[in-house]
Amino acid sequence: MNPVSTGLPDAAQPPDLGYRDNIAQVEPYGIDHIPDAERHGKPSSQFFIWFAAGLNFPIMLLGFSAASLGLSMTAAVTAIVTGALVGAVAMGVLSRMGVHLGVPQQMQARGPLGFIGNLLPVAYINVFAGVGWAAVTIILGGKALGVLIGVPFWICAVILAALQLTVAVFGYNMIHYLERILTFVLLALFVLVTAVSLQRGSSFLEADPSASGYTGPTGGWVTLAGHFLAFLIAWLPFASDYSRYLPSTPHISRRAGVLTALGNFLTLSWLGVTGAVLAGASDSTDPIVALKELTGPWAVPAMLAILLSSFSQNFLNVYGGAISLQTLGLPFRRSTCVTLICVAALGVSLWAADGIYTSFEVFLNLTAYFIAPYVAVLLMDYYVGPRKDRSRIPELFDRNRLFEWGFVAWVAGALAAVPFWKSHVYTGFVAASHPEWGELSYYVGFAVAALVYLATRKLPPLWHRSPGPRPVDGKPSGRAADEENRSTTDTVNTTDATDATSG
């Protein structure tokens, strides 16, 4: 099946570096637009990569939190399924954008926000998220490995970080290959964990107004659904990263979107409900201890599931974090960026290991609060704005487009959400006055950002740097010519990151 043309002129097509589907070759592309010749793979790859990434213990942590919210099992299950469904659909839509445009999600945001306008959300949201998620997963995997082999946590953390670094350096094809294998291995292990938990668990959750986080049945339900939505919101800026090599045809795009959504929904719903079962069946407030106690003689495969799931998620965390660094325009190779993310994540994991469960909830909130309006702008720009037009892909590499109105929309959405924040770090005045409403920050931020985008989308560009005066023939000359060339043709080959195409 031949891919649909990108709409780029031949001179603007990125170079064909012969990567194709080679697993053992270090990926040569960074934040590049993927050329037609390099498009490969099947839509089913999207199911495997997200299903494997979702088979992860942090999701059980979120289900475990239903007990502290005082929810009954019925309320917990419906909240988990609802939050997972909304987030999974959003993931599917953004994955389709990657197939169509062939560039990473964060590079797509340069369209509506501009080059400088995109730096703050990428630096805070995505680099922070990449490092933070990698650290959380190293902590959980390291603790499980420590239980299995009886060595200090720091040794386990170093081992995990080194292995994850190696795979992320090889990149896209290696990650897809290993995620497919991990899907079947983790599926067997988590089926076992689920079966043992259900068989040995003595009770289901009952509504508990005395619970520490109880804010009423509605507030608790909205908050728990928000936790599961927030889990996927944190992944939204990376959805296109793992679909951008697929051949760009309508059929493949549709299937990739559906399978992305399905992979995410199934794992979040399944493990979230299992986490709620764990909360009702153990007296421990530490989920790993609870899982060990509950699984009894099956504790070893349960710990192995947590350990291997740290790989399935951290391959993506580290890879996505490296793309974030390159999107900032840093003149580093992708392999260098991967190393920086791994080292930072290892450092954070060693520092935050003891307070992981409270830190996890805070981290989840602080990323989702800012990502929700960011995603709103991305979606509006694609479905209402001009971003579907592939002939405009060079705009994403144009550093002269400093700020666009989408940046204003993102800021407005982020600020509008602050009064609704409900976090250990800060609680907004609306959330404090109406705890019974639950966690509404994500929805408010998304809605305001979307409305501001719609209100400003037809205004003149917010701030563009002029490439210089044009001579009579309409073509720039000298330095101005260099700037324009870099922002239209060669920049599609990632000249805004000096070595971005070097593995």
Side-chain angles (χ1 to χ4, degrees):
M1 183 177 295
N2 295 323
V4 176
S5 171
T6 60
L8 294 175
D10 291 340
Q13 282 286 340
D16 177 2
L17 301 178
Y19 182 50
R20 303 301 191 273
D21 57 358
N22 294 323
I23 296 172
Q25 178 183 346
V26 173
E27 182 185 356
Y29 298 97
I31 55 173
D32 312 68
H33 169 259
I34 305 303
D36 294 346
E38 291 282 17
R39 296 297 191 102
H40 66 276
K42 298 179 180 179
S44 59
S45 65
Q46 302 308 297
F47 175 83
F48 288 113
I49 198 165
W50 294 113
F51 189 83
L55 288 172
N56 205 281
F57 191 64
I59 298 173
M60 297 175 71
L61 289 182
L62 297 181
F64 197 86
S65 69
S68 66
L69 294 170
L71 294 177
S72 67
M73 182 58 70
T74 299
V77 170
T78 56
I80 289 167
V81 170
T82 301
L85 179 61
V86 174
V89 169
M91 283 288 289
V93 171
L94 291 165
S95 178
R96 291 190 63 179
M97 291 165 61
V99 178
H100 184 73
L101 296 175
V103 295
Q105 206 85 63
Q106 299 158 76
M107 287 297 294
Q108 295 170 24
R110 283 188 180 180
L113 277 77
F115 173 71
I116 300 298
N118 195 40
L119 294 185
L120 179 59
V122 168
Y124 173 71
I125 299 171
N126 301 331
V127 175
F128 176 70
V131 172
W133 277 116
V136 167
T137 313
I138 286 174
I139 291 171
L140 295 175
K143 286 178 176 288
L145 182 59
V147 170
L148 287 172
I149 63 177
V151 300
F153 168 76
W154 72 267
I155 295 177
C156 299
V158 170
I159 293 172
L160 295 185
L163 291 172
Q164 291 156 5
L165 168 63
T166 301
V167 172
V169 165
F170 275 95
Y172 184 92
N173 286 340
M174 177 66 78
I175 290 172
H176 274 281
Y177 175 74
L178 292 178
E179 294 286 8
R180 182 181 290 266
I181 294 174
L182 284 171
T183 292
F184 297 104
V185 176
L186 288 172
L187 177 62
L189 289 172
F190 275 102
V191 165
L192 176 63
V193 168
T194 301
V196 173
S197 298
L198 291 173
Q199 190 273 327
R200 292 173 61 90
S202 58
S203 64
F204 288 109
L205 289 173
E206 295 182 359
D208 181 13
S210 65
S212 59
Y214 185 78
T215 57
T218 301
W221 190 95
V222 171
T223 298
L224 185 62
H227 284 343
F228 281 81
L229 175 59
F231 185 91
L232 285 179
I233 286 176
W235 279 112
L236 293 179
F238 307 98
S240 286
D241 301 359
Y242 306 99
S243 62
R244 72 192 198 278
Y245 279 86
L246 290 175
S248 181
T249 69
H251 173 70
I252 288 179
S253 176
R254 284 192 299 270
R255 289 197 64 205
V258 169
L259 292 172
T260 295
L262 185 62
N264 281 287
F265 175 73
L266 290 178
T267 48
L268 255 73
S269 299
W270 165 22
L271 296 188
V273 172
T274 301
V277 171
L278 280 174
S282 173
D283 295 329
S284 175
T285 58
D286 186 320
I288 288 184
V289 173
L291 183 61
K292 183 181 178 182
E293 292 176 352
L294 189 60
T295 52
W298 299 97
V300 170
M303 294 301 106
L304 185 60
I306 297 175
L307 171 61
L308 291 179
S309 69
S310 72
F311 291 107
S312 69
Q313 193 168 91
N314 257 9
F315 294 157
L316 309 189
N317 290 328
V318 175
Y319 182 84
I323 287 179
S324 299
L325 291 179
Q326 288 190 304
T327 303
L328 294 175
L330 300 180
F332 297 142
R333 299 181 179 185
R334 189 182 59 80
S335 56
T336 301
C337 292
V338 166
T339 303
L340 291 173
I341 293 294
C342 264
V343 170
L346 177 60
V348 172
S349 69
L350 295 175
W351 169 69
D354 292 335
I356 177 59
Y357 305 119
T358 299
S359 300
F360 174 60
E361 183 178 338
V362 171
F363 166 70
L364 192 65
N365 287 337
L366 289 180
T367 53
Y369 291 153
F370 292 94
I371 294 176
Y374 186 74
V375 170
V377 173
L378 269 171
L379 291 173
M380 290 295 103
D381 188 56
Y382 187 78
Y383 285 101
V384 180
R387 207 52 49 201
K388 274 190 177 181
D389 183 356
R390 278 181 285 225
S391 69
R392 303 185 67 161
I393 289 174
E395 291 180 357
L396 306 179
F397 299 87
D398 184 356
R399 292 192 179 198
N400 293 319
R401 301 171 65 256
L402 300 181
F403 287 94
E404 298 289 356
W405 286 102
F407 175 73
V408 175
W410 172 68
V411 171
L415 292 177
V418 172
F420 296 86
W421 281 21
K422 191 174 182 181
S423 169
H424 292 290
V425 174
Y426 173 77
T427 298
F429 70 89
V430 174
S433 301
H434 300 281
E436 72 278 6
W437 291 356
E439 179 63 84
L440 297 176
S441 305
Y442 323 122
Y443 315 106
V444 172
F446 184 97
V448 170
L451 290 173
V452 173
Y453 177 90
L454 292 174
T456 59
R457 70 187 184 91
K458 293 187 178 180
L459 295 177
L462 182 57
W463 185 4
H464 285 194
R465 179 176 57 195
S466 173
R470 292 179 178 271
V472 177
D473 64 2
K475 296 181 180 180
S477 60
R479 183 174 180 180
D482 293 339
E483 287 290 333
E484 179 160 301
N485 188 52
R486 185 164 63 246
S487 66
T488 55
T489 302
D490 291 342
T491 50
V492 179
N493 307 334
T494 59
T495 52
D496 69 27
T498 304
D499 295 310
T501 57
S502 299

